[in-house]
Amino acid sequence: MIVVVSALRSTLEESLAARGESVLVVVPEAVLAERRALAAGRYEVRAVSDWDDLGQLVRLADALSDLPVRAVESADEPCLRPAALLRGLLQTGGGLTWAQAVAATDKAVQKDLLVRAGVPVAAHRRISAVAGTAEAADQHLGWPVVVKPRRGFGTLGTHVVRDRTHLTELLATGAFAGSGGLPASMVASGLHRPADEIPGGLVAEALVRVRAEYHIEIMRYRGRELYAIPARYVAPVLGSPLVGSVLLRPGSEHDATTALARAAADALGLSTGFAHVEVLLDEEGMWRVGEIGLRPGGARVPHLLNLHHRIDVPELAADLATGTRPRVQLSTSEQTSAWVSAVTPSGTVTAITPAEEIRRLPGVIDAHTDLYPGDTAGGPHGSTALATDVYTQGATAEHAEQAALAAITAWRVDIAAPAEHQPA
């Protein structure tokens, strides 16, 4: 039996079940009914209400100890620590160690490790509460600063603070009072709570004046690199209504980002598994690692890799879970590919351009949405609530990127604001 700890997506357990594997999935209690309906009896689903509740996880491990569990796996950021803990309690071996899971999910611990390894990162300080921002900035970092949960993801709960006056304004307007309306799958992570109550505390970082932002997708197997694929974001991730990236062709930009990502993965001891590495180029031309997660890239990155390279991330994750040697052969196409998604405001969809119409636009190779007239759009939650997705190809990164931006701009989504937001 393979235990999958799952919150944000069900792709890994679906891939394992399709292979005929015996699977038991552990999910947030808030989505238990939904995920059991999805499983449709093909695998068992159990729940935990809080990923940080040690007692629940120990009791779960005790309940599983009589079962023939041979692996505990996860592909979701908030589940890496509970998966590592269950792995240790059940003594299954494989996967991330507890130390790796902590380093991959705690931004302060992670950056300390990167600094020790000589990997450049932004200056940072641990703070126990938002009120500690001013001291961290005045005495150590300078203004402006970025305040974020140490164990956050997808830019949730992340704020740029310009100065002391701005900090006072943000506190007065409730900016740190919690992320209301988060999907139920995220509740077990605690990111819906007020900033001072989020598990793991906060970190303040010196703001990097970003010229360009990148992500690099890495997979290794027993010390051997299967791929390291760099991409440039089409817009800064923090605060943009668009999310997306374009795969880089060989060249200096490709090489610089990949080298830093490999160094970061080495610093966290990655031998087998995935890494999603964020790299920043500042306005003065200095490269830094922003963050690294020891899991596959989220959002629409897996589909981009599949379209361009025929890389099936869930299948590769299933290979690792079953002890199968993954096989990867990257595309040698002369073109490159891009992806862009838009985040819609919250409200009711009154009209939307059909995806079929977007697919006919120049350079577009795929387009997708789950929204239809009458549906309710949940609104922005960091980079985690995407409504319309387009995928394009072009002879250069710039051509692919421009085609994607043109297509997403042409995708009309009309939203009627909720009643409480409409003028009287």
Side-chain angles (χ1 to χ4, degrees), residues 359-382:
R359 293 190 190 106
R360 292 194 290 268
L361 295 177
V364 175
I365 56 175
D366 197 10
H368 178 263
T369 183
D370 289 324
L371 288 180
Y372 299 92
D375 289 346
T376 300
H381 297 297

Side-chain angles (χ1 to χ4, degrees), residues 226-230 247-250 254 303-312 316 327-337 365 392-394:
L226 301 184
Y227 59 75
I229 303 173
L247 300 178
L248 298 180
R249 301 289 298 163
H254 176 291
H303 192 53
L304 177 66
L305 298 183
N306 199 327
L307 285 172
H308 189 83
H309 286 298
R310 297 294 181 263
I311 290 174
D312 191 325
L316 292 174
R327 299 193 178 278
V328 175
Q329 185 172 356
L330 299 184
S331 166
T332 56
S333 171
E334 291 300 318
Q335 292 197 315
T336 193
S337 301
I365 56 175
T392 56
Q393 282 192 337

Side-chain angles (χ1 to χ4, degrees), residues 126-374:
R126 293 168 167 81
I127 56 175
S128 58
V130 176
T133 301
E135 180 183 352
D138 286 341
Q139 298 188 16
H140 305 285
L141 304 175
W143 297 96
V145 295
V146 179
V147 178
K148 61 180 71 172
R150 285 171 58 168
R151 289 166 52 192
F153 56 92
T155 73
L156 292 170
T158 299
H159 300 275
V160 176
V161 186
R162 296 188 300 271
D163 50 36
R164 279 180 170 266
T165 300
H166 188 214
L167 176 62
T168 301
E169 292 171 354
L170 290 173
L171 288 167
T173 57
F176 296 100
S179 300
L182 285 181
S185 60
M186 297 183 186
V187 171
S189 68
L191 288 176
H192 63 292
R193 299 175 185 171
D196 289 351
E197 299 175 15
I198 291 176
L202 305 168
V203 63
E205 299 177 359
L207 178 68
V208 177
R209 304 288 186 180
V210 176
R211 181 196 302 176
E213 193 168 349
Y214 305 81
H215 66 89
I216 300 86
E217 305 306 315
I218 293 176
M219 186 183 186
R220 292 176 176 174
Y221 182 69
R222 296 182 178 177
R224 176 172 170 263
E225 183 177 277
L226 301 184
Y227 59 75
I229 303 173
R232 183 179 65 244
Y233 284 112
V234 300
V237 174
L238 184 58
S240 173
L242 297 178
V243 181
S245 61
V246 56
L247 300 178
L248 298 180
R249 301 289 298 163
S252 58
E253 192 179 32
H254 176 291
D255 295 346
T257 54
T258 305
L260 266 182
R262 286 171 173 151
D266 289 345
L268 268 62
L270 180 66
S271 175
T272 294
F274 299 90
H276 170 78
V277 190
E278 306 277 349
V279 171
L280 309 174
L281 176 63
D282 72 14
E283 292 177 348
E284 298 179 352
M286 180 175 178
W287 296 93
R288 292 182 180 86
V289 168
E291 295 173 5
I292 172 173
L294 296 185
R295 41 85 178 172
R300 307 301 182 252
V301 171
H303 192 53
L304 177 66
L305 298 183
N306 199 327
L307 285 172
H308 189 83
H309 286 298
R310 297 294 181 263
I311 290 174
D312 191 325
V313 171
E315 286 299 310
L316 292 174
D319 284 341
L320 297 183
T322 57
T324 304
R325 182 183 181 85
R327 299 193 178 278
V328 175
Q329 185 172 356
L330 299 184
S331 166
T332 56
S333 171
E334 291 300 318
Q335 292 197 315
T336 193
S337 301
W339 141 68
V340 175
S341 295
V343 178
T344 64
S346 60
T348 301
V349 178
T350 58
I352 183 169
T353 307
E356 293 77 10
E357 186 174 325
I358 301 299
R359 293 190 190 106
R360 292 194 290 268
L361 295 177
V364 175
I365 56 175
D366 197 10
H368 178 263
T369 183
D370 289 324
L371 288 180
Y372 299 92

